[in-house]
Amino acid sequence: MIKVAILGATGYAGSELVRLLSRHSGVALSLLASHSYAGRPFSEVYPMMRGVCDLTLSEDDIEKAADVADVVFLALPHGFASGLVTDEILSKAVVIDLGADFRLHDVDTYEAWYKVEHRSRSLLAKAVYGLCELHRSQIASSRLIANPGCYTTCSILTLYPLVKAGLVKKEGIIIDAKSGTSGAGRGAKTASLYCEVNESVKAYSIASHRHTPEIEQELSLAAGCPVTLQFTPHLIPMDRGILATCYAHLEPGVGEEEVEDAYKEAYGDERFIRLVDTPPETRFVAGSNYVDIGWKIDKRTGNIVAMGALDNLVKGAAGQAVQNMNIVFGFDEAEGLGLVPGAVV
Amino acid sequence: MIKVAILGATGYAGSELVRLLSRHSGVALSLLASHSYAGRPFSEVYPMMRGVCDLTLSEDDIEKAADVADVVFLALPHGFASGLVTDEILSKAVVIDLGADFRLHDVDTYEAWYKVEHRSRSLLAKAVYGLCELHRSQIASSRLIANPGCYTTCSILTLYPLVKAGLVKKEGIIIDAKSGTSGAGRGAKTASLYCEVNESVKAYSIASHRHTPEIEQELSLAAGCPVTLQFTPHLIPMDRGILATCYAHLEPGVGEEEVEDAYKEAYGDERFIRLVDTPPETRFVAGSNYVDIGWKIDKRTGNIVAMGALDNLVKGAAGQAVQNMNIVFGFDEAEGLGLVPGAVV
Amino acid sequence: MIKVAILGATGYAGSELVRLLSRHSGVALSLLASHSYAGRPFSEVYPMMRGVCDLTLSEDDIEKAADVADVVFLALPHGFASGLVTDEILSKAVVIDLGADFRLHDVDTYEAWYKVEHRSRSLLAKAVYGLCELHRSQIASSRLIANPGCYTTCSILTLYPLVKAGLVKKEGIIIDAKSGTSGAGRGAKTASLYCEVNESVKAYSIASHRHTPEIEQELSLAAGCPVTLQFTPHLIPMDRGILATCYAHLEPGVGEEEVEDAYKEAYGDERFIRLVDTPPETRFVAGSNYVDIGWKIDKRTGNIVAMGALDNLVKGAAGQAVQNMNIVFGFDEAEGLGLVPGAVV
Amino acid sequence: MIKVAILGATGYAGSELVRLLSRHSGVALSLLASHSYAGRPFSEVYPMMRGVCDLTLSEDDIEKAADVADVVFLALPHGFASGLVTDEILSKAVVIDLGADFRLHDVDTYEAWYKVEHRSRSLLAKAVYGLCELHRSQIASSRLIANPGCYTTCSILTLYPLVKAGLVKKEGIIIDAKSGTSGAGRGAKTASLYCEVNESVKAYSIASHRHTPEIEQELSLAAGCPVTLQFTPHLIPMDRGILATCYAHLEPGVGEEEVEDAYKEAYGDERFIRLVDTPPETRFVAGSNYVDIGWKIDKRTGNIVAMGALDNLVKGAAGQAVQNMNIVFGFDEAEGLGLVPGAVV
């Protein structure tokens, strides 16, 4: 039984962690912290958890968290984690950061896209990018894991086999992603109000979304050369789910067989990736840690349209964080994640 | 390990049974049947279940089901079960009927409200009304369980303690219920189309909904005298969930203390009923087997407003069916039902 | 051409006024004011209005508004209007207040329910309750009109003919109302976030909602004696619309004919009230100034279930305000309100 | 006052025509026809129209329609119109076809994509593609107008200025479009049920959607050379609205100024096209005939991301059909289309 602490437990990602971990057979929730709700029971903030998790929330305090827990999850706004994590903290507890601070290997890229100074550059070398299916062995021996973003997990996993196997051109990749509204977080902003989101769709952060360099970093690694791409996120009226529709030009001569082989080789044994032969729908993965990936070759245009769907709060955040924890602590990788997609279909 | 068969497995209630039972540690799914989709894999009809349940659907055939399974769940339109269940079937398998045919003890009432002839009157005496919290001991020794309706489970559980303890007048009870659209089933009807349901609310089956006599039967039993009440269901734009807002006149002298005592006495030890001190919201129970119940006394009017919330597909259908199975077969009552409410909150 | 000013123009009710008045043939929008957005173009706050209304917002200033306009609409939180309106203001402009301050004739009732001091008691006698269908002639000669609440308009219009004609018992009336989320306003509150409202339903302000005394006031006037009733509002996941499901005990001997006569007598000539023979649905009135009213007598229980549906932002707020303006200034009562319900059906 | 007939009046596009034309000052609705609902009042099928349009529906009969009306709108499934329209019909009435049969100039392309035989090839030369902003003068003198598809109107208008002015490469254009569910029509299909659409997003008809050749036809005309592109539609959980996110490579040296000039030159005087400086949102055009178009140049990638938003039932279908009628019959082009976008924002 390992002990777990969560800072930022009352955001959507943090509360999803509580939901998942409350059913994990190998962990005990030791400390839940929330700057906004300190002093109140978690289940008062999230009444769905009455009787499931009634812990009282404490103040966000990483020292205390590292003292009482074997693993500390950080579910904080970007820029916070880099000011909190230290070698001393890491000597006491494994840190799994759901924020962006340790995801980009290149600190200049981080500072350029996030417009803040990185406050613990020296730790970057120790951080592992926690995309489980790509970096499993490094994760297993790490004490600082940068849990990937929601859009990035979806986009990278969808494109990785194509790029890795050299089946598509490195130039001209376009990712058009659609996300449910929980991705915008629980902050009380006018733009997130029901009547502002409902019955509408829009693009946002065009040409400037911070998940772009994260996707490019991982696909460049896979390609063995720099990959620059176009990433456009959209907000759609639903709670959970991301669909990434990815467009790439196939290299000459590449057909169905090569593509299928590449996906099967990359993910044939993966428990959370399902290769599907109809277009993936977010409802088919909602509430679960699955990523559904499908594709279609258009001979007319020479493009491949590859699509990935996941639940932004599970595989796109808390679920992958639990998966990372399972890898580090030697649990079965699916422990606590045996979730059946729960939407009505 | 007991063997399970489901007839009508591809309706919303049937598929929810599959979802729940696929994670139940004590059962094996032996036979899934569907008139509409026989011959196809279950996961082709419900792609969310790819890799979780890929059984091929067979034709609805209760004989075959009873031959191969220890328990047969019927998730069929009303009127079917009464023509299928026989003493011979019951000698081979326990039958848990999610339909209406065996719920009403009085066959004339059944035929008056359902406008069909009951085809197995003799079995009615053997059927137990499967509202677990009220009839647990009878359920344990029954082989034919009439799983309650969704509205009825919610309404009865909300009002039962008040009626049982004699705290409210038997006359003038009003139940105004609101249901998500999965309650309308998966039939391809114009009225159930997205654009016909979305952005709207309406009442339906006013003064004529078939769950009315079912609620009256159980509350009359609790009261020890006939209870006639007004039940009005409403359709609202969401997938899952029922909220029953119940109005009753308090007997003179009844106050907060008596009401709280009555609820605690009735449900103090129940694992799936949560007594809550803020108005219940359906999102707090969605995806789980919980019923959240709250109430408010209005001294100005002398009324009590009691509210119950549940997930119509879980506690209102498949979850309670599993709970009934657990009781009959001696499993922990919560086995397979350890679901954390999954909605974003 | 009369000149119009709106204070609080960027709330949902205020912006709906702009939407309606921008198509009214007899008015010119002279001044739009907003405390939060002063200095910015209206169409920057509501981009749907680009090219339709690009006026720059000024600070809320009733003096200035009354100087430049013939009619001033107030769409402010309760408690503000009573501190702003004076005899001098009324000497310059007609005031139509969409807030609650001048709706209740009894100031003690106001202060008891609203928990604030009323700051212009002397003006109460001059205020007319602006429910057009009930008080048309008084409205025509008034300079201070208290535009009714959304729930109240719907509830009163639904029950008025029954109460006025003495067809129902005065005791035991219950109103169970369901509202879309725009009724909660545009304030950036966590409880109004998309993910907190979507896929859920709840009751709120049980036994304490401030529209209760307003409904009681008008029905008491119709009855000729005090009427005390139970009013319970619910929040449902849609933008616009209120459905009020009203329950009352019929007086002995009252049947279909008497009820139909009462409704026809009350509303036979009304242009915005439609008596319908199927349960009203909010989508059928969305975007329009209509109120659809239907009913069903339950002989089994002796109750009548009467239902009214309207758009909370139109007939429940801005539309009725325009209707009031039309009455006062002698326009055709439907001018600017010839809206066809616009939802997909 | 011209007389209007509509065949297929009870589909979503047909009923939207009724909604719009019922407020048009220059037309009288003479005949509404519906195969499914013949003999019933229109307002029984669409109760929102009670008191607005209570005409009795007749059988679909183009002969009768052309006899009684000056203009016949066809809102029928593809393949029907080509079997109904004849020179004789056109001699009696103008035909505005909301279906696909007369949109493609090349009959082989039509038959290849639609998999049906075209039954009136000789009429193709007489048909004008009714995209008002592009072909206004030809429309004015035509008697057979092929009203464009919803996706196509949105996509073509968004890309036309860029292609026409030669600012983007002709190869590699990608259109990722998102549509509300009314686009799927009113047919009672399982895939269109509320619970199947709600809380999900998916792509469909990848590399095979029939609006593709229509978009290519018009952009090829603008480019002066063949344009082949990738078009991917998505279904999202809302009633109305299409957002087309279009990706193209800028020609060397093209910057903000050239792009802005191109859009202003193309649409500077258009009443229904708004060039916007924030990403367009479908709620800002819902219920109106507007198209909002915005764009962003990404210097990092050399791409332009151009976005168009419209209401698929208005500018994407019935609104544009009315606009075409206005052009043909010499009405003000905005008559009956003076709609203020009606969504809550």
Side-chain angles (χ1 to χ4, degrees):
Chain A
M1 212 70 158
I2 63 168
K3 289 181 195 149
V4 170
I6 303 171
L7 304 199
T10 57
Y12 286 147
S15 70
E16 187 75 1
L17 266 174
V18 178
R19 186 171 85 91
L20 297 176
L21 292 172
S22 69
R23 287 296 183 252
H24 192 293
S25 68
V27 309
L29 288 170
S30 295
L31 181 147
L32 300 183
S34 162
H35 178 60
S36 308
Y37 298 100
R40 294 169 59 182
F42 179 78
S43 57
E44 190 182 305
V45 185
Y46 283 87
M48 70 174 183
M49 296 295 280
R50 285 173 181 133
V52 181
C53 175
D54 298 306
L55 274 180
T56 296
L57 292 155
S58 57
E59 262 295 344
D60 283 332
D61 180 342
I62 198 169
E63 306 284 349
K64 193 174 156 201
D67 283 341
V68 302
D70 301 299
V71 54
V72 177
F73 291 94
L74 303 181
L76 303 168
H78 72 82
F80 279 71
S82 77
L84 295 177
V85 183
T86 61
D87 281 311
E88 197 194 335
I89 295 290
L90 294 178
S91 73
K92 295 182 187 169
V94 169
V95 171
I96 300 176
D97 178 22
L98 280 76
D101 289 9
F102 298 102
R103 290 179 192 157
L104 297 176
H105 306 327
D106 184 70
V107 74
D108 294 338
T109 303
Y110 174 86
E111 295 185 347
W113 285 82
Y114 285 88
K115 321 278 186 205
V116 293
E117 192 191 355
H118 199 288
R119 292 185 281 168
S120 48
R121 290 164 168 248
S122 65
L123 288 176
L124 277 178
K126 301 187 179 176
V128 169
Y129 189 71
L131 190 45
C132 309
E133 286 74 12
L134 268 54
H135 304 297
R136 189 173 278 120
S137 63
Q138 291 168 271
I139 292 164
S141 59
S142 175
R143 295 191 64 83
L144 174 56
I145 295 165
N147 208 58
C150 50
Y151 283 123
T152 53
T153 297
C154 195
S155 303
I156 296 167
L157 289 176
T158 302
L159 285 165
Y160 170 81
L162 301 174
V163 171
K164 179 73 177 175
L167 305 185
V168 295
K169 297 217 163 70
K170 308 298 177 289
E171 304 77 40
I173 294 176
I174 287 171
I175 303 170
D176 188 287
K178 299 90 182 163
S179 174
T181 304
S182 58
R186 205 178 185 231
K189 296 170 290 186
T190 301
S192 297
L193 293 179
Y194 184 84
C195 293
E196 309 285 320
V197 171
N198 192 34
E199 294 297 294
S200 199
V201 57
K202 67 171 175 183
Y204 65 99
S205 299
I206 304 157
S208 63
H209 195 278
R210 289 154 171 174
H211 285 181
T212 309
E214 199 177 325
I215 302 169
E216 291 179 345
Q217 167 181 290
E218 296 297 307
L219 293 185
S220 297
L221 280 171
C225 67
V227 172
T228 301
L229 49 77
Q230 194 72 48
F231 171 71
T232 312
H234 294 76
L235 184 71
I236 65 174
M238 60 183 198
D239 283 346
R240 288 164 178 256
I242 285 178
L243 180 71
T245 311
C246 305
Y247 301 89
H249 308 292
L250 288 171
E251 291 287 356
V254 174
E256 295 292 351
E257 201 178 326
E258 290 79 9
V259 170
E260 188 161 346
D261 286 351
Y263 277 107
K264 283 194 173 157
E265 186 176 325
Y267 301 137
D269 297 327
E270 290 296 340
R271 293 155 77 175
F272 292 121
I273 298 185
R274 300 191 295 196
L275 304 178
V276 300
D277 52 11
T278 52
E281 310 188 20
T282 59
R283 62 182 171 137
F284 295 149
V285 295
S288 84
N289 203 50
Y290 286 118
V291 185
D292 281 1
I293 298 177
W295 61 87
K296 183 99 178 181
I297 292 175
D298 187 346
K299 289 187 181 153
R300 241 175 45 93
T301 60
N303 293 328
I304 183 167
V305 184
M307 295 150 286
L310 54 66
D311 182 322
N312 56 306
L313 294 179
V314 189
K315 183 61 178 173
Q320 184 149 259
V322 171
Q323 194 179 351
N324 275 312
M325 180 194 76
N326 287 341
I327 293 171
V328 173
F329 288 90
F331 294 114
D332 180 296
E333 197 169 315
E335 176 56 41
L337 298 172
L339 308 152
V340 181
V344 168
V345 262
Chain B
M1 211 71 159
I2 64 167
K3 289 180 196 147
V4 170
I6 303 173
L7 303 198
T10 57
Y12 286 147
S15 70
E16 187 75 0
L17 266 174
V18 178
R19 186 171 84 92
L20 297 177
L21 292 172
S22 68
R23 287 296 183 250
H24 191 292
S25 69
V27 309
L29 288 171
S30 296
L31 182 147
L32 300 184
S34 161
H35 178 60
S36 308
Y37 297 99
R40 294 167 60 182
F42 180 78
S43 57
E44 189 182 305
V45 186
Y46 283 87
M48 70 175 185
M49 296 295 279
R50 283 173 182 132
V52 181
C53 175
D54 297 307
L55 273 180
T56 296
L57 292 156
S58 56
E59 262 296 344
D60 284 332
D61 180 341
I62 198 168
E63 305 285 347
K64 194 175 155 198
D67 283 342
V68 303
D70 302 298
V71 55
V72 177
F73 291 94
L74 305 180
L76 304 167
H78 70 85
F80 278 70
S82 77
L84 294 177
V85 183
T86 62
D87 280 312
E88 198 194 334
I89 294 291
L90 294 178
S91 73
K92 296 181 188 169
V94 170
V95 171
I96 300 177
D97 179 21
L98 280 74
D101 289 9
F102 298 102
R103 291 179 192 158
L104 296 177
H105 306 326
D106 184 71
V107 74
D108 294 338
T109 304
Y110 174 85
E111 294 184 347
W113 285 82
Y114 285 87
K115 320 280 188 204
V116 294
E117 191 191 355
H118 199 287
R119 292 185 281 167
S120 48
R121 292 166 168 246
S122 65
L123 288 177
L124 277 179
K126 300 186 179 175
V128 169
Y129 188 72
L131 191 44
C132 309
E133 286 74 12
L134 268 56
H135 303 297
R136 188 174 279 120
S137 63
Q138 291 168 270
I139 292 163
S141 57
S142 175
R143 296 192 64 82
L144 175 54
I145 295 165
N147 208 59
C150 51
Y151 283 124
T152 51
T153 297
C154 195
S155 302
I156 296 166
L157 289 176
T158 303
L159 285 165
Y160 170 80
L162 300 174
V163 171
K164 179 72 177 177
L167 304 185
V168 295
K169 297 218 163 68
K170 307 298 178 288
E171 303 79 38
I173 293 176
I174 286 169
I175 303 170
D176 188 287
K178 297 91 182 162
S179 175
T181 304
S182 58
R186 205 178 185 230
K189 296 171 290 186
T190 301
S192 298
L193 293 179
Y194 184 85
C195 293
E196 309 285 320
V197 170
N198 191 35
E199 293 297 295
S200 198
V201 57
K202 67 171 176 184
Y204 65 99
S205 298
I206 303 157
S208 64
H209 195 279
R210 289 154 170 174
H211 285 180
T212 310
E214 200 178 323
I215 303 169
E216 291 180 346
Q217 167 182 290
E218 295 298 307
L219 293 185
S220 296
L221 280 172
C225 67
V227 172
T228 301
L229 50 77
Q230 195 73 47
F231 171 71
T232 311
H234 295 75
L235 184 71
I236 65 174
M238 60 183 198
D239 283 345
R240 290 164 177 256
I242 285 177
L243 180 71
T245 312
C246 306
Y247 301 89
H249 308 290
L250 289 171
E251 291 286 356
V254 174
E256 296 292 350
E257 201 178 327
E258 290 79 9
V259 170
E260 189 163 343
D261 286 352
Y263 276 107
K264 284 194 171 156
E265 186 175 327
Y267 300 136
D269 297 327
E270 291 297 341
R271 293 156 75 175
F272 292 120
I273 298 184
R274 301 191 292 196
L275 305 178
V276 299
D277 52 12
T278 52
E281 310 187 20
T282 59
R283 63 181 170 139
F284 295 148
V285 296
S288 84
N289 202 50
Y290 286 118
V291 186
D292 281 0
I293 299 177
W295 61 87
K296 183 100 179 181
I297 292 175
D298 187 345
K299 289 189 180 151
R300 242 174 44 92
T301 61
N303 292 328
I304 183 168
V305 183
M307 294 149 289
L310 53 68
D311 183 321
N312 55 307
L313 293 180
V314 188
K315 183 62 178 174
Q320 183 148 259
V322 171
Q323 194 180 351
N324 275 312
M325 180 195 75
N326 287 342
I327 293 172
V328 172
F329 288 90
F331 295 114
D332 181 296
E333 198 168 316
E335 176 56 40
L337 299 171
L339 309 151
V340 181
V344 168
V345 261
Chain C
M1 211 69 160
I2 63 168
K3 289 180 197 149
V4 170
I6 303 172
L7 304 198
T10 57
Y12 286 147
S15 71
E16 186 75 0
L17 266 173
V18 179
R19 185 171 85 93
L20 297 177
L21 292 172
S22 68
R23 287 296 183 249
H24 191 293
S25 69
V27 309
L29 288 171
S30 296
L31 181 147
L32 300 182
S34 161
H35 178 60
S36 308
Y37 298 100
R40 294 168 60 181
F42 179 77
S43 57
E44 189 183 305
V45 185
Y46 283 86
M48 70 174 185
M49 297 295 279
R50 284 174 183 132
V52 181
C53 176
D54 298 306
L55 273 181
T56 296
L57 292 156
S58 56
E59 262 295 346
D60 284 331
D61 179 342
I62 198 168
E63 306 285 349
K64 193 175 156 201
D67 283 342
V68 302
D70 302 297
V71 55
V72 177
F73 291 94
L74 304 180
L76 303 167
H78 71 83
F80 278 71
S82 77
L84 295 177
V85 183
T86 61
D87 280 311
E88 198 194 335
I89 294 290
L90 293 177
S91 73
K92 296 182 188 169
V94 169
V95 171
I96 300 178
D97 179 21
L98 279 75
D101 289 9
F102 297 102
R103 292 179 191 156
L104 296 176
H105 306 326
D106 184 71
V107 74
D108 294 338
T109 303
Y110 175 86
E111 295 184 346
W113 285 81
Y114 284 87
K115 321 281 187 205
V116 293
E117 191 190 356
H118 199 286
R119 291 185 282 168
S120 49
R121 291 165 170 249
S122 65
L123 288 177
L124 277 178
K126 301 188 178 175
V128 169
Y129 189 72
L131 191 44
C132 309
E133 286 74 12
L134 268 56
H135 304 297
R136 187 172 279 118
S137 64
Q138 290 168 270
I139 292 163
S141 58
S142 175
R143 295 191 65 82
L144 175 55
I145 294 166
N147 208 59
C150 50
Y151 284 124
T152 51
T153 297
C154 195
S155 302
I156 296 165
L157 289 175
T158 303
L159 285 164
Y160 170 81
L162 300 173
V163 170
K164 179 72 178 176
L167 303 185
V168 295
K169 297 216 162 70
K170 308 297 178 288
E171 303 79 38
I173 293 175
I174 286 170
I175 302 170
D176 188 287
K178 297 91 182 161
S179 174
T181 304
S182 58
R186 206 179 185 231
K189 295 171 289 185
T190 301
S192 297
L193 293 179
Y194 184 83
C195 292
E196 310 285 320
V197 171
N198 190 35
E199 294 296 296
S200 199
V201 57
K202 66 172 176 183
Y204 65 98
S205 299
I206 304 157
S208 63
H209 194 279
R210 288 155 171 174
H211 285 180
T212 310
E214 200 177 324
I215 302 169
E216 290 179 347
Q217 167 182 289
E218 294 299 308
L219 293 185
S220 296
L221 280 171
C225 67
V227 171
T228 301
L229 51 78
Q230 194 73 46
F231 171 70
T232 313
H234 295 74
L235 184 71
I236 65 174
M238 60 183 197
D239 283 346
R240 288 164 179 256
I242 285 178
L243 179 71
T245 311
C246 306
Y247 301 89
H249 309 290
L250 288 170
E251 291 286 357
V254 174
E256 295 293 350
E257 202 178 324
E258 290 80 7
V259 169
E260 188 162 345
D261 286 351
Y263 276 107
K264 284 194 171 157
E265 187 176 326
Y267 302 136
D269 297 328
E270 290 296 341
R271 294 156 75 173
F272 292 121
I273 298 185
R274 301 191 291 196
L275 304 178
V276 299
D277 52 12
T278 51
E281 310 188 20
T282 59
R283 62 182 170 139
F284 295 148
V285 295
S288 84
N289 202 49
Y290 286 118
V291 186
D292 281 0
I293 298 176
W295 61 87
K296 181 101 179 180
I297 292 175
D298 187 345
K299 289 189 180 152
R300 240 174 46 91
T301 61
N303 292 328
I304 184 169
V305 183
M307 294 149 289
L310 54 66
D311 183 322
N312 56 306
L313 293 180
V314 188
K315 183 62 178 173
Q320 184 150 257
V322 171
Q323 195 180 350
N324 275 311
M325 180 194 77
N326 287 342
I327 293 172
V328 173
F329 289 90
F331 295 114
D332 180 296
E333 197 167 316
E335 177 54 40
L337 299 172
L339 309 152
V340 180
V344 167
V345 262
Chain D
M1 211 69 159
I2 64 168
K3 290 179 197 149
V4 171
I6 303 172
L7 304 198
T10 57
Y12 286 147
S15 71
E16 187 74 1
L17 266 174
V18 179
R19 185 171 85 92
L20 297 176
L21 292 172
S22 68
R23 287 296 183 250
H24 191 292
S25 68
V27 309
L29 288 171
S30 295
L31 181 147
L32 300 183
S34 162
H35 178 60
S36 308
Y37 298 100
R40 294 168 59 181
F42 180 78
S43 57
E44 190 182 304
V45 185
Y46 284 86
M48 70 175 184
M49 296 295 280
R50 284 173 181 133
V52 181
C53 176
D54 298 306
L55 273 180
T56 297
L57 292 157
S58 57
E59 262 296 344
D60 284 332
D61 180 342
I62 197 168
E63 306 284 348
K64 194 174 156 200
D67 283 343
V68 303
D70 302 299
V71 56
V72 177
F73 291 94
L74 304 180
L76 304 167
H78 71 84
F80 279 71
S82 77
L84 295 177
V85 183
T86 62
D87 280 310
E88 198 195 332
I89 294 291
L90 294 178
S91 73
K92 296 182 187 168
V94 169
V95 171
I96 300 177
D97 178 21
L98 281 75
D101 290 9
F102 298 102
R103 290 178 193 158
L104 297 177
H105 305 327
D106 183 70
V107 75
D108 295 336
T109 303
Y110 174 85
E111 295 185 347
W113 286 82
Y114 284 87
K115 321 279 187 205
V116 294
E117 192 191 354
H118 199 287
R119 292 185 282 169
S120 48
R121 291 165 169 247
S122 65
L123 289 177
L124 277 179
K126 301 187 179 176
V128 169
Y129 189 70
L131 190 44
C132 309
E133 286 75 11
L134 267 56
H135 304 297
R136 189 173 278 120
S137 63
Q138 291 168 270
I139 292 164
S141 59
S142 175
R143 295 192 65 83
L144 175 55
I145 295 165
N147 208 60
C150 50
Y151 284 123
T152 51
T153 297
C154 195
S155 302
I156 296 166
L157 289 176
T158 303
L159 285 165
Y160 171 80
L162 300 175
V163 170
K164 179 74 177 174
L167 305 185
V168 295
K169 297 216 163 71
K170 307 298 177 290
E171 304 78 39
I173 293 177
I174 286 170
I175 303 170
D176 188 288
K178 298 91 182 163
S179 174
T181 304
S182 58
R186 206 182 185 228
K189 295 171 290 185
T190 302
S192 298
L193 293 178
Y194 184 85
C195 293
E196 309 285 321
V197 171
N198 191 35
E199 294 296 293
S200 199
V201 57
K202 66 172 175 183
Y204 66 99
S205 298
I206 303 157
S208 64
H209 195 279
R210 289 155 171 173
H211 286 180
T212 310
E214 199 178 325
I215 302 169
E216 291 179 346
Q217 167 182 290
E218 295 298 309
L219 293 185
S220 297
L221 281 172
C225 68
V227 172
T228 301
L229 50 77
Q230 194 73 47
F231 171 69
T232 312
H234 295 74
L235 184 71
I236 65 174
M238 61 183 199
D239 283 347
R240 289 164 178 256
I242 285 178
L243 179 71
T245 312
C246 306
Y247 301 89
H249 309 291
L250 289 170
E251 292 287 357
V254 173
E256 295 292 351
E257 201 176 326
E258 290 78 10
V259 170
E260 189 161 344
D261 286 351
Y263 277 106
K264 285 194 171 156
E265 186 175 326
Y267 302 136
D269 296 327
E270 291 296 339
R271 293 156 77 175
F272 292 121
I273 298 185
R274 301 191 292 196
L275 305 178
V276 300
D277 52 11
T278 52
E281 310 188 19
T282 60
R283 63 182 170 137
F284 295 149
V285 295
S288 84
N289 202 49
Y290 286 118
V291 185
D292 281 1
I293 299 176
W295 62 86
K296 182 100 180 181
I297 293 175
D298 187 346
K299 289 189 181 152
R300 242 175 44 93
T301 61
N303 293 327
I304 183 167
V305 184
M307 294 150 288
L310 53 67
D311 183 321
N312 56 305
L313 294 179
V314 189
K315 183 62 178 173
Q320 184 148 259
V322 171
Q323 194 180 350
N324 275 312
M325 180 195 76
N326 288 341
I327 293 171
V328 173
F329 289 90
F331 295 113
D332 181 297
E333 198 169 316
E335 176 55 41
L337 298 172
L339 308 151
V340 181
V344 168
V345 260

